[in-house]
Amino acid sequence: MEKGKLFVVATPIGNLEDITFRAINTLKNVDFIICEDTRVTNILLNKYEIKKELVFVNARNENRMLQSILSRLKEGHSAALVSDAGTPCISDPGTRLINCAIKQKIEIVGIPGANAATLALSISGLPVDSFIFEGFIPQKKGRQKELKKFVEEERCIVFYESVYRIKKLLEELNEYMPERLIIIFRELTKKFEESWRGTVEQLLNTLDKKIIKGEFVVIIAPQNWKENF
Ligand code: SAM
């Protein structure tokens, strides 16, 4: 029996129009879609009038669901893996499923698209031929060690940070690299998209005057970077 394929499909990070024709066609053509949260994925599917079986996988049902998804793929069904936003497996679930599918010789097909980190880098105006993607740094244990190691870093460093810890992150950066240029991108591709650039102190002043909401990408410029190059 011919095996099905597992398509790994990037979805928008806010603006629902940021999805490729190929991604839409793939979502239309697979037998079922694997997602994190059916409510979130249904918003996208409704916009593009896609009616499809949704299978959600979370930490609680993962073991059971993986077995059933792999069985269906081996029987010849095809599936699309999506996350709530952006590219699956980039600070998002999916790695274990893909790894198991590879071991079972199921073909993996990537459908590229939106990603918050690469979008932020591409509009940062900083040298980004080589960069470090940190994603979410640990919330407690190891956090300070992680931050300290970037003091001498000569490449851009990209963090994902939640609204609950964005100020904390800036306060910590103020301790380790007060002079460094930092860029904060908020709500990329969305209605209230904005960005701020400056030293940590300048950014803390800006954020103090605002009600902070939304999603954030933080870029730390390379050590010795001069704004007016
Ligand atoms: N897989 C996603 C990607 O490809 O970018 C990342 C998912 S991760 C769970 C969510 C984090 O990504 C957010 O907390 C934020 O740091 C960042 N993020 C996602 N969408 C964003 C947006 N529209 N604007 C700014 N940051 C965003």
Side-chain angles (χ1 to χ4, degrees), residues 2-25:
E2 204 178 321
K3 291 192 177 99
K5 292 181 185 173
L6 176 60
F7 295 87
V8 181
V9 180
T11 58
I13 55 167
N15 186 324
L16 290 184
E17 293 184 5
D18 292 330
I19 185 159
T20 66
F21 290 123
R22 189 167 167 233
I24 300 282
N25 285 333

Short mmCIF file of all heavy atoms in Angstrom, two decimals, residues 2-25:
data_model
loop_
_atom_site.label_atom_id
_atom_site.label_comp_id
_atom_site.label_asym_id
_atom_site.label_seq_id
_atom_site.Cartn_x
_atom_site.Cartn_y
_atom_site.Cartn_z
N GLU A 2 0.51 2.24 -0.82
CA GLU A 2 1.32 3.46 -0.88
C GLU A 2 1.07 4.31 0.37
O GLU A 2 -0.07 4.46 0.81
CB GLU A 2 0.95 4.27 -2.13
CG GLU A 2 2.08 5.18 -2.54
CD GLU A 2 1.74 5.93 -3.80
OE1 GLU A 2 1.12 5.34 -4.69
OE2 GLU A 2 2.10 7.11 -3.85
N LYS A 3 2.17 4.83 0.92
CA LYS A 3 2.02 5.65 2.13
C LYS A 3 1.52 7.04 1.77
O LYS A 3 1.78 7.55 0.69
CB LYS A 3 3.36 5.77 2.84
CG LYS A 3 3.84 4.47 3.46
CD LYS A 3 5.01 4.76 4.39
CE LYS A 3 5.46 3.50 5.08
NZ LYS A 3 6.62 2.88 4.48
N GLY A 4 0.83 7.68 2.74
CA GLY A 4 0.42 9.06 2.54
C GLY A 4 1.58 10.00 2.84
O GLY A 4 2.62 9.58 3.35
N LYS A 5 1.39 11.26 2.51
CA LYS A 5 2.46 12.24 2.79
C LYS A 5 2.05 13.10 3.98
O LYS A 5 0.86 13.31 4.22
CB LYS A 5 2.65 13.16 1.58
CG LYS A 5 3.24 12.44 0.38
CD LYS A 5 3.42 13.40 -0.77
CE LYS A 5 3.88 12.63 -2.00
NZ LYS A 5 3.92 13.45 -3.19
N LEU A 6 3.07 13.60 4.67
CA LEU A 6 2.81 14.56 5.74
C LEU A 6 3.30 15.93 5.27
O LEU A 6 4.51 16.14 5.07
CB LEU A 6 3.54 14.15 7.03
CG LEU A 6 3.43 15.13 8.19
CD1 LEU A 6 1.97 15.34 8.61
CD2 LEU A 6 4.24 14.62 9.39
N PHE A 7 2.37 16.85 5.05
CA PHE A 7 2.72 18.20 4.63
C PHE A 7 2.86 19.07 5.88
O PHE A 7 1.98 19.06 6.75
CB PHE A 7 1.62 18.78 3.72
CG PHE A 7 1.48 18.04 2.42
CD1 PHE A 7 0.66 16.92 2.31
CD2 PHE A 7 2.19 18.46 1.29
CE1 PHE A 7 0.54 16.23 1.11
CE2 PHE A 7 2.07 17.78 0.08
CZ PHE A 7 1.25 16.65 0.00
N VAL A 8 3.94 19.81 5.95
CA VAL A 8 4.16 20.71 7.10
C VAL A 8 3.92 22.13 6.57
O VAL A 8 4.71 22.65 5.78
CB VAL A 8 5.57 20.53 7.67
CG1 VAL A 8 5.79 21.44 8.85
CG2 VAL A 8 5.78 19.07 8.07
N VAL A 9 2.80 22.71 6.99
CA VAL A 9 2.30 23.90 6.32
C VAL A 9 2.40 25.14 7.21
O VAL A 9 1.84 25.17 8.32
CB VAL A 9 0.81 23.69 5.92
CG1 VAL A 9 0.26 24.92 5.21
CG2 VAL A 9 0.65 22.46 5.04
N ALA A 10 3.08 26.16 6.73
CA ALA A 10 3.15 27.43 7.48
C ALA A 10 1.86 28.20 7.27
O ALA A 10 1.32 28.26 6.16
CB ALA A 10 4.35 28.25 7.00
N THR A 11 1.36 28.78 8.35
CA THR A 11 0.12 29.58 8.30
C THR A 11 0.46 31.01 8.74
O THR A 11 1.58 31.27 9.20
CB THR A 11 -0.95 28.95 9.22
OG1 THR A 11 -0.43 28.88 10.55
CG2 THR A 11 -1.35 27.56 8.73
N PRO A 12 -0.47 31.95 8.62
CA PRO A 12 -0.13 33.35 8.95
C PRO A 12 0.24 33.57 10.42
O PRO A 12 -0.13 32.77 11.28
CB PRO A 12 -1.44 34.09 8.62
CG PRO A 12 -2.14 33.22 7.63
CD PRO A 12 -1.81 31.82 8.01
N ILE A 13 0.93 34.68 10.68
CA ILE A 13 1.25 35.04 12.08
C ILE A 13 0.36 36.20 12.54
O ILE A 13 0.68 36.88 13.51
CB ILE A 13 2.74 35.40 12.27
CG1 ILE A 13 3.17 36.53 11.31
CG2 ILE A 13 3.63 34.19 12.11
CD1 ILE A 13 4.52 37.14 11.67
N GLY A 14 -0.71 36.43 11.85
CA GLY A 14 -1.61 37.52 12.26
C GLY A 14 -2.54 37.88 11.12
O GLY A 14 -3.74 37.67 11.19
N ASN A 15 -1.95 38.38 10.05
CA ASN A 15 -2.75 38.77 8.90
C ASN A 15 -3.10 37.52 8.08
O ASN A 15 -2.21 36.86 7.53
CB ASN A 15 -1.94 39.76 8.04
CG ASN A 15 -2.76 40.32 6.91
OD1 ASN A 15 -3.60 39.64 6.33
ND2 ASN A 15 -2.53 41.58 6.60
N LEU A 16 -4.39 37.21 8.02
CA LEU A 16 -4.80 35.94 7.40
C LEU A 16 -4.51 35.87 5.91
O LEU A 16 -4.60 34.81 5.31
CB LEU A 16 -6.29 35.69 7.65
CG LEU A 16 -6.68 35.37 9.09
CD1 LEU A 16 -8.17 35.04 9.18
CD2 LEU A 16 -5.86 34.22 9.67
N GLU A 17 -4.13 37.01 5.31
CA GLU A 17 -3.79 36.96 3.88
C GLU A 17 -2.35 36.47 3.64
O GLU A 17 -1.98 36.21 2.50
CB GLU A 17 -3.99 38.35 3.25
CG GLU A 17 -5.46 38.72 3.24
CD GLU A 17 -5.74 40.05 2.56
OE1 GLU A 17 -4.81 40.65 2.01
OE2 GLU A 17 -6.90 40.47 2.62
N ASP A 18 -1.58 36.37 4.72
CA ASP A 18 -0.19 35.93 4.57
C ASP A 18 -0.09 34.41 4.52
O ASP A 18 0.46 33.76 5.41
CB ASP A 18 0.68 36.45 5.72
CG ASP A 18 0.84 37.95 5.67
OD1 ASP A 18 0.81 38.51 4.57
OD2 ASP A 18 0.98 38.56 6.75
N ILE A 19 -0.64 33.85 3.45
CA ILE A 19 -0.56 32.40 3.27
C ILE A 19 -0.42 32.14 1.78
O ILE A 19 -0.99 32.90 0.96
CB ILE A 19 -1.79 31.69 3.88
CG1 ILE A 19 -1.64 30.16 3.79
CG2 ILE A 19 -3.11 32.16 3.27
CD1 ILE A 19 -2.50 29.39 4.77
N THR A 20 0.32 31.13 1.40
CA THR A 20 0.58 30.93 -0.03
C THR A 20 -0.56 30.15 -0.69
O THR A 20 -1.32 29.43 -0.04
CB THR A 20 1.90 30.15 -0.25
OG1 THR A 20 1.73 28.83 0.27
CG2 THR A 20 3.08 30.83 0.41
N PHE A 21 -0.63 30.28 -2.03
CA PHE A 21 -1.63 29.50 -2.80
C PHE A 21 -1.40 28.01 -2.55
O PHE A 21 -2.32 27.23 -2.44
CB PHE A 21 -1.49 29.78 -4.30
CG PHE A 21 -1.92 31.18 -4.69
CD1 PHE A 21 -1.03 32.02 -5.35
CD2 PHE A 21 -3.19 31.64 -4.41
CE1 PHE A 21 -1.42 33.30 -5.71
CE2 PHE A 21 -3.58 32.92 -4.77
CZ PHE A 21 -2.69 33.76 -5.41
N ARG A 22 -0.11 27.67 -2.50
CA ARG A 22 0.22 26.25 -2.34
C ARG A 22 -0.26 25.73 -0.97
O ARG A 22 -0.74 24.61 -0.86
CB ARG A 22 1.74 26.09 -2.49
CG ARG A 22 2.17 24.66 -2.56
CD ARG A 22 3.61 24.59 -3.03
NE ARG A 22 4.12 23.27 -2.82
CZ ARG A 22 5.24 22.99 -2.16
NH1 ARG A 22 5.98 23.96 -1.66
NH2 ARG A 22 5.63 21.75 -2.02
N ALA A 23 -0.12 26.59 0.05
CA ALA A 23 -0.58 26.17 1.38
C ALA A 23 -2.09 25.96 1.37
O ALA A 23 -2.60 24.96 1.89
CB ALA A 23 -0.19 27.23 2.42
N ILE A 24 -2.81 26.90 0.77
CA ILE A 24 -4.29 26.78 0.71
C ILE A 24 -4.67 25.50 -0.03
O ILE A 24 -5.52 24.73 0.42
CB ILE A 24 -4.91 27.99 -0.04
CG1 ILE A 24 -4.56 29.29 0.66
CG2 ILE A 24 -6.42 27.82 -0.20
CD1 ILE A 24 -5.35 29.60 1.87
N ASN A 25 -4.03 25.29 -1.19
CA ASN A 25 -4.37 24.09 -1.98
C ASN A 25 -4.05 22.82 -1.21
O ASN A 25 -4.79 21.85 -1.27
CB ASN A 25 -3.63 24.10 -3.32
CG ASN A 25 -4.26 25.10 -4.27
OD1 ASN A 25 -5.45 25.38 -4.15
ND2 ASN A 25 -3.47 25.66 -5.17
#
